[in-house]
Amino acid sequence: DIVMTQSPDSLAVSLGERATINCKSSQSVLYSSDNKNYLAWYQQKPGQPPKLLINWASIRESGVPDRFSGSGSGTDFTLTISSLQAEDVAVYYCQQYYGVPQTFGQGTKVEI
Amino acid sequence: QLQLQESGPGLVKPSETLSLTCTLSGGSISGNIYYWGCVRQPPGKGLEWIGSIDSSGNTYYSPTLKSRVTISVDASRNQFSLKLSSVTAADTAVYYCARLTITGTSRGYFDSWGQGTLVTVSS
């Protein structure tokens, strides 16, 4: 299985400041035939299901604010919240869909 | 807008079978660009993919759960169902139904989720 490791496990950021979450995969999730990174990011607020924010490592889902951005390639990825808002308090997960089974990171809790 | 709704018992006894039904509204389970899957989340912990099915009934299961999992589809009712046998306390979790956009055989990203249902395994 591809192991996804996120860092840090939690972080506290002031309102309006930048939050950066890292995700590292145990093997590359870049598929050479289409040059795409098979990686997604999700946001889970308390008592709610996860919500897809980003797929293909950097493509925002429709309706996701542009303060959320994804970057990286191969084995190292980053989710950045450029200016943290109160409603961004949540746990964030990365997921690889390159290998079988698809696997998630352990989650990063973002607080204010 | 697609909605997924989980239904099933909230309490299951050890060694018995957990059953969960996922009902779609606002969309059809038929078609070949999506899988329909189940993900679970133990209290206070992370997410684990259990398995997926396509509209033709082809199934894909997590290797760690494969011996105990069955997922089936009923297109006429716009539903799919999960059965997990021989449950223990370790199977206590919130169980989610989800839609996956297919990116490869058995793989995809989860673009729509149900609200989830807590299933507790206890005697």
Side-chain angles (χ1 to χ4, degrees):
Chain A
D1 296 5
I2 297 177
V3 177
M4 307 300 289
T5 304
Q6 293 181 226
S7 61
D9 289 332
S10 65
L11 75 161
V13 178
S14 300
L15 287 172
E17 296 299 305
R18 178 184 300 260
T20 301
I21 301 167
N22 301 302
C23 174
K24 188 174 184 66
S25 56
S26 61
Q27 65 185 75
S28 176
V29 298
L30 173 63
Y31 194 33
S32 57
S33 67
D34 61 11
N35 201 36
K36 286 183 174 182
N37 288 285
Y38 283 51
L39 184 114
W41 287 98
Y42 301 85
Q43 174 193 64
Q44 186 177 32
K45 297 182 179 181
Q48 295 186 20
K51 173 188 173 184
L52 177 66
L53 295 177
I54 287 170
N55 52 48
W56 304 114
S58 62
I59 308 298
R60 264 192 311 274
E61 276 288 281
S62 174
V64 174
D66 61 7
R67 63 180 180 272
F68 291 92
S69 63
S71 62
S73 185
T75 60
D76 293 282
F77 300 91
T78 299
L79 175 70
T80 301
I81 310 172
S82 61
S83 176
L84 192 77
Q85 304 300 303
E87 61 265 32
D88 301 333
V89 169
V91 178
Y92 293 84
Y93 294 93
C94 59
Q95 176 229 343
Q96 65 80 19
Y97 43 94
Y98 178 93
V100 179
Q102 50 228 328
T103 49
F104 293 89
Q106 81 277 15
T108 294
K109 186 174 185 179
V110 174
E111 301 172 302
I112 298 194
Chain B
Q1 182 180 355
L2 179 72
Q3 291 190 324
L4 297 115
Q5 180 66 57
E6 301 88 353
S7 59
L11 181 64
V12 181
K13 290 182 168 56
S15 79
E16 295 190 345
T17 296
L18 179 160
S19 296
L20 183 74
T21 297
C22 306
T23 303
L24 279 68
S25 58
S28 174
I29 205 166
S30 300
N32 58 4
I33 62 171
Y34 298 115
Y35 290 136
W36 306 96
C38 299
V39 174
R40 69 180 183 179
Q41 184 172 37
K45 296 190 177 180
L47 301 163
E48 179 184 20
W49 172 69
I50 299 169
S52 305
I53 191 167
D54 65 23
S55 59
S56 299
N58 298 304
T59 53
Y60 312 94
Y61 300 137
S62 169
T64 58
L65 297 170
K66 186 174 185 177
S67 63
R68 299 194 290 132
V69 173
T70 303
I71 297 178
S72 58
V73 66
D74 186 342
S76 67
R77 294 187 175 189
N78 228 22
Q79 293 178 337
F80 62 104
S81 297
L82 166 72
K83 291 189 186 299
L84 180 66
S85 64
S86 305
V87 297
T88 69
D91 295 309
T92 293
V94 175
Y95 285 76
Y96 293 102
C97 301
R99 185 180 77 177
L100 295 84
T101 292
I102 297 173
T103 61
T105 303
S106 83
R107 294 160 290 144
Y109 54 83
F110 301 87
D111 63 10
S112 188
W113 297 70
Q115 284 299 306
T117 186
L118 174 63
V119 179
T120 301
V121 179
S122 175
S123 54

